Amino acid sequence: MAGEEIVMDSVSDDKNFSRFPACVRLKQLAHAPYDLTQPEALNGKRLEAYVCRTPHFDLLYGTQRIDEAVLECLQDLADQSGVIEQFKQMKQGAVLNRIEGFDSESRQVLHTACRDISSASPKAPEAVAQAKRELGKLAAFLNDLDEKRIVNHRGETFTDLLHVGIGGSDLGPRALYLALAAYRRPERRVHFISNVDPDDAAAVLNGLDLSRTLVNVVSKSGTTLETLTNEELVRNAFKRAELDPGRHFLAVTGENSPMDDPERYLRSFYMFDYIGGRYSATSMVGAVMLGFALGFSQFQEILKGANEIDMLAEEPDIRKNPALLLALLGIWNHNFLGCETLAVLPYSQALVRFAAHLQQCDMESNGKSIDRQGRELNHQSGPIVWGEPGTNGQHAFYQLIHQGTTTVPVEFIGFRKSQYDQDILIQGTSSQEKLLANLLAQSLALATGQKNVNPNKRFAGNRPSSILIADRLTPRTMGALLALYETKVVFQGFAWNINSFDQEGVQLGKVLANRLLGHLSARRQDDSYSGADTDMTGWTLLKTARAFPAGQDE
Amino acid sequence: MAGEEIVMDSVSDDKNFSRFPACVRLKQLAHAPYDLTQPEALNGKRLEAYVCRTPHFDLLYGTQRIDEAVLECLQDLADQSGVIEQFKQMKQGAVLNRIEGFDSESRQVLHTACRDISSASPKAPEAVAQAKRELGKLAAFLNDLDEKRIVNHRGETFTDLLHVGIGGSDLGPRALYLALAAYRRPERRVHFISNVDPDDAAAVLNGLDLSRTLVNVVSKSGTTLETLTNEELVRNAFKRAELDPGRHFLAVTGENSPMDDPERYLRSFYMFDYIGGRYSATSMVGAVMLGFALGFSQFQEILKGANEIDMLAEEPDIRKNPALLLALLGIWNHNFLGCETLAVLPYSQALVRFAAHLQQCDMESNGKSIDRQGRELNHQSGPIVWGEPGTNGQHAFYQLIHQGTTTVPVEFIGFRKSQYDQDILIQGTSSQEKLLANLLAQSLALATGQKNVNPNKRFAGNRPSSILIADRLTPRTMGALLALYETKVVFQGFAWNINSFDQEGVQLGKVLANRLLGHLSARRQDDSYSGADTDMTGWTLLKTARAFPAGQDE
């Protein structure tokens, strides 16, 4: 028995993040991290050495608090935790969405298959075949739109698409649409409804010409409350306009879900349970809307960019694998230097919603407290991710990043060229140059700080940052950027030995909300109903918030 | 000499946050904060007792980790730090924007005067008179628009307004416009350009009918680089369209600033140096745009709501003063329970940019490391503020809030009724009820947690939250909400003994950006120019990032 226990422990310890020899050593190194404020700390040799160049993005990380010893340990951590091996297994269809020994989703994790569509020998042939089948359906549908085989009842083309989804069915697709609006087909626009807030739908519907609008309803289960509620709101609007929803509504859903119904939808496109919502932007979840807006070939460019990162991510040398390097630098700042948050600050207004997508992708994936064996973690898992575009943020929250009492690691994202090429020279430089110069200057200022006799003009420095920079934000670089962050998050989860693919933490709120809705519904039908007997807390909270319609709460 | 030093120290200690007797006691109490997960912890008596009711918002705080002892200490902290007294001095024009003994802005702080316009005996009569004068100019201008005395060269009315500003001249006004879009005059729309990213301007300008567009340029100094650059971009577009900018451009700026020029602007409205950018939404900075969009009387409603909070904020009993209570609960969570961040989660899609405004208002105000005597702080100052509307967030980052390794205090904001009154009953409840039930349920779930044999279905609970709830998001409640948070931030700064009104932390980045721009500009004119001799780090970073136009970087 004792022998067995030891074997169990030793098996477990193999996966325990805190006990990796690399982590023990990193903890020591964290007592005296590289001091960026020293003269010559940011010398040319260092800045040039700490760059990871890829076909799209360069990752500059000389302004992180690392040196050769730390980088070697981070390489050891990658090796000891076997992140590359796990990533390869993931791409081949290993059942990684599970908690060993406990009831869990027990699913494969195959978002990478969506974009592995050009390989002669794909890693996950079945999933790739499914992805190709759906892409084929989509290409045919988009072609029917272009050739005016699918038109409204008056024979007109569709100019607008209303995308209805929430969470992963909203944030990623929306971030991509906004990022690539410069590449939009000029005659086509997209609108989004996500929130169960009825004002969200009302604000969008007011002013839409429904007769020329397609509605794309996205829900894997076909049962998402917000999405079904909003779909019903929109269907009612179509009925009031005496339009046949069957000519306008599309479904993106699981095969055989309640939404997979040709009677109610013009077309159904399928998503599969091996792709989690927050990793689904390159599946049909994003494809239908983006294909409509940008055209099919531009959507393929997104897939190409993402696939290039998926391939690069198999590289075991951390200095050549930007997703892995981002993951490990994040772990260094978070687990060893003790920073709770991460600011992602794109110097591109088009990326205005990219941080909101990352909040889901990262925080839903890695905001966990147990490991893949169901044991409580003895280390920090995912950070709080937040951010807004620069230079706007410089005039807002950067004050705290520079002079606050909390250290906020930053990941800057920038581009050398603008999307529209509409620029102007003022004081000898273009706006795009001003944008980029500000990004680089912020990184320097955070690192070096500044001494001054006036304490209010002092900057402590040693605030770490990285810079991701590409030539231009295009569909291809956007696909690469998306995959970079998806893969970073996955790598961190592998290193921490957590399941980055489930989201049990959203369940309790749902259950309690339904209980409260039960009270509201029962009270609406029966003034004498009281839920206080069975649910004193919920009932009292409803009363305290005066949540019952007027006249009913007393 | 020794005597003098003691006097100095004792004066200083009076203001040192950590040495307030209340703080010493709070530190002890924080060892065993109220346990929200115990059975009966959220009993009816508690929930009903821990509500602060005001004419607009109710603040429910029974789901915070507080008890009577903590509340009494928080009251003591408010008293010992003299926050109410300081607030009253602020409203009367005390020079609170300063660091004693060091060169600093040395200004009054009088954003409250903007809305103190109905009082017979205002606290700051001169500033109130200035506010009224500007409001009078605005009312006359808006009237001229309505009466078609101001029209375009074809005699048509103006349908669109392009608001050009950044930071405080953008975030607050934009958040308010989006929050109140339901009250917009249907024939009028507003657009925003803020970022120096040229794509921001290009995306907005593409598709605008400039001939019917007013351009509102907002910069207190009249020298903000981003805003002047964007103004020039827009002026060029007007020239290309052969339109006279003098008929279209408005200025909101300081009197006698470079932008105060009747030759270039149809009208100038003034802002004053006693109102910081992040507190300026109710000054002309927000007024011109909101007056155009909503009409003058709706803008007055915003002022009325804000003024009601300004009055309420003089109440010394923390249980009757919602701004003060929010401030102190925040201090409890941040300084004593050790939470680095604060999530502000409005259950209202219209408040989609309110958290972005708060990021500036809070983090720029209180992201400081020195006190008002120039000494380094020995306690945490302002938290990292972030958030997105619910229920969207529930499908995104709530996983981490419920089950992550970091505790995130939450401030929920909700409304009992929708703005548009376009709703639908599904499964016996309206969308608005679903929205509100979800908000309340999340607060409960975070507090109580849940036990389970499956570790993945366990919720630790004890995650603190408050709920701000009002009947409906109207111009008046929006004004109240804005002032609630402005005042909360000010109270926290007073308690921490920091200057919440300057922003020295943004300067270093500006200086370094200008240095890099100097290199780019010089290199553009002279291929042989090298800045490496004088600025090796900056020059190398530019080269490493390949920031020089193609062909110039080697």
Side-chain angles (χ1 to χ4, degrees):
Chain A
M1 282 292 282
E4 266 180 57
E5 275 172 11
I6 288 165
V7 171
M8 292 277 291
D9 274 349
S10 98
V11 166
S12 310
D13 287 354
D14 276 359
K15 297 172 183 168
N16 188 320
F17 174 80
S18 308
R19 298 202 194 169
F20 290 128
C23 287
V24 175
R25 177 92 179 104
L26 283 165
K27 206 170 160 184
Q28 293 162 348
L29 291 171
H31 291 305
Y34 189 76
D35 186 349
L36 298 164
T37 69
Q38 291 299 307
E40 295 299 304
L42 293 182
N43 59 68
K45 203 175 141 203
R46 176 186 172 92
L47 288 178
E48 283 165 7
Y50 290 162
V51 181
C52 170
R53 299 209 186 268
T54 81
H56 305 305
F57 281 93
D58 294 339
L59 172 58
L60 281 65
Y61 57 101
T63 43
Q64 292 283 353
R65 300 196 67 185
I66 48 123
D67 53 19
E68 285 300 300
V70 171
L71 280 174
E72 279 161 27
C73 273
L74 292 175
Q75 179 72 61
D76 290 344
L77 171 57
D79 298 341
Q80 287 161 15
S81 57
V83 289
I84 296 297
E85 189 48 41
Q86 293 181 67
F87 182 70
K88 287 182 179 170
Q89 288 170 3
M90 183 190 91
K91 285 171 78 171
Q92 286 166 14
V95 178
L96 291 177
N97 176 2
R98 64 191 285 253
I99 303 290
E100 286 171 34
F102 295 95
D103 185 38
S104 61
E105 291 191 333
S106 291
R107 292 176 182 165
Q108 299 169 295
V109 179
L110 282 170
H111 53 278
T112 46
C114 292
R115 44 243 196 177
D116 189 17
I117 52 172
S118 308
S119 164
S121 54
K123 296 277 166 57
E126 203 176 324
V128 168
Q130 287 179 312
K132 285 184 178 174
R133 193 186 66 198
E134 297 307 312
L135 281 171
K137 282 161 59 179
L138 177 60
F141 172 70
L142 293 174
N143 201 29
D144 284 346
L145 290 180
D146 286 346
E147 302 291 330
K148 300 192 185 181
R149 285 186 293 267
I150 296 181
V151 288
N152 75 359
H153 67 288
R154 287 196 301 263
E156 296 162 330
T157 55
F158 291 100
T159 55
D160 293 76
L161 182 142
L162 180 52
H163 184 96
V164 183
I166 194 165
S169 300
D170 170 59
L171 292 165
R174 195 193 293 238
L176 264 60
Y177 174 73
L178 293 171
L180 300 173
Y183 301 86
R184 191 166 58 79
R185 288 173 58 154
E187 76 282 11
R188 290 185 178 170
R189 275 168 311 177
V190 175
H191 317 266
F192 297 86
I193 301 178
S194 54
N195 204 320
V196 74
D197 180 353
D199 290 335
D200 190 15
V204 172
L205 287 174
N206 292 352
L208 256 190
D209 177 0
L210 293 184
S211 75
R212 302 191 67 177
T213 300
L214 291 168
V215 182
N216 186 36
V217 187
V218 186
S219 166
K220 183 153 65 178
S221 64
T223 63
T224 312
L225 177 69
E226 284 90 341
T227 301
L228 295 191
T229 301
N230 280 322
E231 179 179 7
E232 204 54 36
L233 265 169
V234 178
R235 282 190 181 264
N236 284 354
F238 271 80
K239 274 175 210 151
R240 282 197 303 276
E242 295 181 3
L243 293 164
D244 171 14
R247 292 188 80 120
H248 294 260
F249 278 61
L250 311 171
V252 177
T253 189
E255 201 164 357
N256 302 319
S257 95
M259 269 174 56
D260 183 14
D261 178 356
E263 302 271 306
R264 287 168 57 84
Y265 299 94
L266 180 61
R267 290 284 187 285
S268 284
F269 301 96
Y270 296 138
M271 50 206 291
F272 302 95
D273 72 1
Y274 49 71
I275 301 184
R278 55 194 175 272
Y279 298 99
S280 68
T282 51
S283 76
M284 284 299 115
V285 169
V288 175
M289 177 273 292
L290 291 166
F292 174 84
L294 310 176
F296 189 72
S297 65
Q298 292 284 35
F299 181 71
Q300 284 177 304
E301 284 290 298
I302 298 174
L303 298 183
K304 207 174 281 181
N307 185 56
E308 283 159 348
I309 291 292
D310 293 343
M311 300 305 295
L312 205 56
E314 296 189 16
E315 163 65 51
D317 182 345
I318 67 168
R319 300 185 204 216
K320 296 179 181 165
N321 182 337
L324 181 54
L325 192 51
L326 275 176
L328 293 165
L329 292 169
I331 287 174
W332 171 244
N333 287 324
H334 188 55
N335 295 86
F336 298 97
L337 300 187
C339 305
E340 279 193 13
T341 76
L342 169 69
V344 177
L345 307 178
Y347 275 62
S348 159
Q349 195 60 25
L351 290 175
V352 61
R353 294 304 285 165
F354 188 59
H357 164 65
L358 288 187
Q359 281 185 330
Q360 170 173 54
C361 188
D362 198 325
M363 295 169 72
E364 189 162 66
S365 295
N366 290 342
K368 305 287 165 69
S369 289
I370 60 164
D371 68 15
R372 288 185 282 189
Q373 288 72 42
R375 297 165 305 191
E376 216 167 295
L377 298 180
N378 58 357
H379 56 84
Q380 291 283 306
S381 56
I384 292 156
V385 179
W386 59 283
E388 290 285 334
T391 59
N392 289 14
Q394 292 179 199
H395 294 258
F397 51 79
Y398 277 43
Q399 165 69 40
L400 184 145
I401 300 185
H402 283 288
Q403 287 191 322
T405 48
T406 306
T407 299
V408 179
V410 175
E411 289 173 12
F412 293 105
I413 302 169
F415 303 92
R416 298 180 190 98
K417 296 177 191 139
S418 68
Q419 289 183 314
Y420 287 93
D421 273 332
Q422 295 175 16
D423 209 330
I424 186 174
L425 276 189
I426 290 188
Q427 297 168 10
T429 54
S430 67
S431 288
Q432 189 64 28
E433 286 172 326
K434 290 184 183 72
L435 194 61
L436 189 53
N438 271 282
L439 182 165
L440 299 174
Q442 291 296 332
S443 179
L444 280 185
L446 289 169
T448 60
Q450 176 178 269
K451 294 182 174 49
N452 200 298
V453 288
N454 185 336
N456 210 19
K457 296 183 191 297
R458 273 177 217 151
F459 294 74
N462 270 326
R463 306 196 171 203
S465 65
S466 299
I467 298 167
L468 274 171
I469 185 167
D471 266 353
R472 196 192 293 266
L473 182 57
T474 63
R476 192 142 166 190
T477 50
M478 185 65 237
L481 185 64
L482 181 81
L484 256 178
Y485 273 93
E486 287 176 356
T487 312
K488 173 200 172 186
V489 167
V490 164
F491 279 141
Q492 289 188 331
F494 288 158
W496 287 324
N497 187 31
I498 61 179
N499 179 1
S500 303
F501 310 107
D502 66 355
Q503 54 282 323
E504 284 295 332
V506 306
Q507 295 303 328
L508 178 58
K510 272 191 204 172
V511 170
L512 294 184
N514 284 333
R515 195 181 298 165
L516 298 186
L517 285 167
H519 297 323
L520 289 171
S521 167
R523 183 64 172 252
R524 185 187 289 276
Q525 289 166 17
D526 174 6
D527 266 7
S528 68
Y529 170 83
S530 167
D533 306 333
T534 55
D535 176 23
M536 174 58 93
T537 303
W539 185 256
T540 312
L541 188 60
L542 284 168
K543 279 182 65 180
T544 310
R546 299 172 176 168
F548 294 106
Q552 289 199 355
D553 57 342
E554 277 313 306
Chain B
M1 283 292 282
E4 265 180 56
E5 273 171 12
I6 289 165
V7 173
M8 292 278 293
D9 274 348
S10 98
V11 167
S12 311
D13 287 356
D14 275 359
K15 296 172 184 168
N16 188 319
F17 175 80
S18 308
R19 297 200 194 170
F20 290 128
C23 287
V24 175
R25 177 92 179 104
L26 283 164
K27 205 170 161 186
Q28 293 162 350
L29 291 170
H31 292 306
Y34 189 76
D35 185 351
L36 298 163
T37 69
Q38 291 300 307
E40 295 300 306
L42 293 181
N43 58 69
K45 203 175 142 205
R46 176 187 173 90
L47 289 178
E48 283 166 6
Y50 290 162
V51 181
C52 170
R53 297 207 189 271
T54 81
H56 305 304
F57 281 93
D58 294 338
L59 172 58
L60 282 64
Y61 57 101
T63 42
Q64 291 283 353
R65 299 196 68 185
I66 46 119
D67 53 20
E68 286 299 300
V70 171
L71 280 174
E72 279 162 27
C73 273
L74 292 175
Q75 178 72 59
D76 291 344
L77 171 57
D79 299 340
Q80 288 162 15
S81 58
V83 290
I84 296 296
E85 190 47 42
Q86 293 181 68
F87 183 71
K88 287 181 179 172
Q89 289 170 1
M90 182 189 92
K91 286 170 77 172
Q92 287 166 15
V95 178
L96 291 176
N97 177 3
R98 64 190 285 252
I99 303 290
E100 287 172 32
F102 295 96
D103 183 39
S104 61
E105 292 191 331
S106 290
R107 292 177 181 164
Q108 299 170 296
V109 179
L110 281 172
H111 53 277
T112 47
C114 291
R115 44 245 197 175
D116 189 17
I117 53 173
S118 308
S119 165
S121 53
K123 296 277 166 54
E126 202 177 326
V128 168
Q130 286 179 313
K132 284 184 178 173
R133 193 187 67 198
E134 296 308 312
L135 282 170
K137 281 161 60 181
L138 177 60
F141 172 70
L142 294 173
N143 201 31
D144 284 347
L145 290 179
D146 286 347
E147 302 292 331
K148 302 193 184 179
R149 284 188 293 268
I150 296 180
V151 289
N152 74 0
H153 68 287
R154 287 194 301 261
E156 297 162 330
T157 56
F158 291 100
T159 55
D160 294 74
L161 183 143
L162 181 52
H163 184 97
V164 183
I166 195 165
S169 300
D170 170 60
L171 292 165
R174 195 193 294 239
L176 263 60
Y177 175 73
L178 293 172
L180 300 173
Y183 300 86
R184 191 166 56 80
R185 289 173 58 154
E187 76 283 10
R188 290 185 178 170
R189 277 168 308 178
V190 174
H191 317 266
F192 297 86
I193 301 179
S194 53
N195 205 321
V196 75
D197 180 353
D199 290 335
D200 191 15
V204 172
L205 287 173
N206 292 353
L208 256 190
D209 177 0
L210 293 184
S211 75
R212 302 192 67 178
T213 299
L214 290 168
V215 182
N216 186 37
V217 186
V218 186
S219 166
K220 184 155 61 179
S221 64
T223 63
T224 312
L225 178 69
E226 284 90 341
T227 301
L228 294 192
T229 301
N230 280 322
E231 178 179 7
E232 203 53 38
L233 265 170
V234 178
R235 282 189 182 264
N236 284 353
F238 271 80
K239 274 176 210 152
R240 282 197 303 274
E242 295 180 3
L243 293 164
D244 171 15
R247 293 188 81 119
H248 294 260
F249 278 59
L250 311 171
V252 177
T253 189
E255 202 165 355
N256 301 319
S257 95
M259 270 173 56
D260 183 14
D261 179 356
E263 302 271 306
R264 286 168 58 84
Y265 300 95
L266 179 60
R267 290 283 188 284
S268 285
F269 301 96
Y270 296 138
M271 51 206 291
F272 302 94
D273 71 0
Y274 49 71
I275 300 183
R278 54 194 176 273
Y279 298 98
S280 69
T282 52
S283 76
M284 284 300 115
V285 170
V288 176
M289 177 274 292
L290 291 166
F292 174 83
L294 311 175
F296 189 72
S297 65
Q298 293 283 34
F299 180 71
Q300 284 178 303
E301 284 290 298
I302 297 174
L303 298 183
K304 207 174 282 181
N307 186 54
E308 283 159 349
I309 292 293
D310 293 342
M311 300 306 293
L312 206 56
E314 295 189 14
E315 164 65 52
D317 182 346
I318 67 169
R319 300 186 204 216
K320 295 178 182 166
N321 181 338
L324 181 54
L325 192 50
L326 275 175
L328 293 164
L329 292 169
I331 286 174
W332 171 244
N333 287 323
H334 187 57
N335 295 87
F336 298 97
L337 301 187
C339 305
E340 280 193 12
T341 76
L342 168 68
V344 178
L345 307 176
Y347 275 62
S348 160
Q349 194 61 26
L351 290 174
V352 61
R353 294 303 286 164
F354 188 59
H357 163 65
L358 288 186
Q359 280 184 332
Q360 170 173 53
C361 187
D362 199 325
M363 295 168 72
E364 189 163 65
S365 295
N366 291 342
K368 305 287 164 69
S369 289
I370 59 164
D371 68 16
R372 288 185 284 188
Q373 288 71 43
R375 296 165 305 192
E376 216 168 293
L377 297 180
N378 59 357
H379 56 84
Q380 291 283 306
S381 57
I384 292 155
V385 180
W386 60 284
E388 290 285 333
T391 61
N392 288 15
Q394 293 179 199
H395 295 259
F397 51 79
Y398 277 44
Q399 164 69 39
L400 183 146
I401 300 185
H402 282 289
Q403 288 191 319
T405 47
T406 305
T407 299
V408 180
V410 175
E411 289 174 10
F412 293 106
I413 301 169
F415 303 92
R416 300 181 189 97
K417 296 176 192 141
S418 68
Q419 289 183 313
Y420 286 92
D421 273 332
Q422 294 175 19
D423 208 330
I424 186 176
L425 276 189
I426 288 187
Q427 298 169 9
T429 54
S430 68
S431 288
Q432 189 63 28
E433 286 172 325
K434 290 185 182 73
L435 194 61
L436 190 53
N438 271 282
L439 182 166
L440 299 174
Q442 291 296 331
S443 179
L444 280 185
L446 289 169
T448 60
Q450 176 178 268
K451 295 183 172 50
N452 199 298
V453 289
N454 185 335
N456 209 18
K457 296 181 192 296
R458 274 178 216 149
F459 293 74
N462 271 327
R463 306 198 171 202
S465 65
S466 298
I467 298 168
L468 274 171
I469 184 168
D471 267 352
R472 196 193 292 268
L473 182 57
T474 63
R476 193 144 167 188
T477 51
M478 186 63 238
L481 185 64
L482 181 81
L484 256 178
Y485 273 93
E486 286 177 355
T487 312
K488 173 199 170 188
V489 167
V490 164
F491 279 142
Q492 290 188 331
F494 287 158
W496 288 323
N497 187 31
I498 60 179
N499 179 1
S500 303
F501 310 108
D502 66 355
Q503 53 281 324
E504 284 295 331
V506 307
Q507 295 304 327
L508 179 57
K510 272 191 206 172
V511 171
L512 294 184
N514 284 332
R515 195 181 299 166
L516 298 186
L517 284 167
H519 297 323
L520 290 171
S521 167
R523 182 65 171 249
R524 185 186 289 277
Q525 289 166 16
D526 174 5
D527 266 8
S528 67
Y529 170 83
S530 167
D533 306 331
T534 54
D535 176 23
M536 174 59 93
T537 303
W539 184 257
T540 312
L541 188 60
L542 283 169
K543 279 182 64 180
T544 310
R546 298 172 175 167
F548 293 104
Q552 290 199 353
D553 57 342
E554 279 315 309

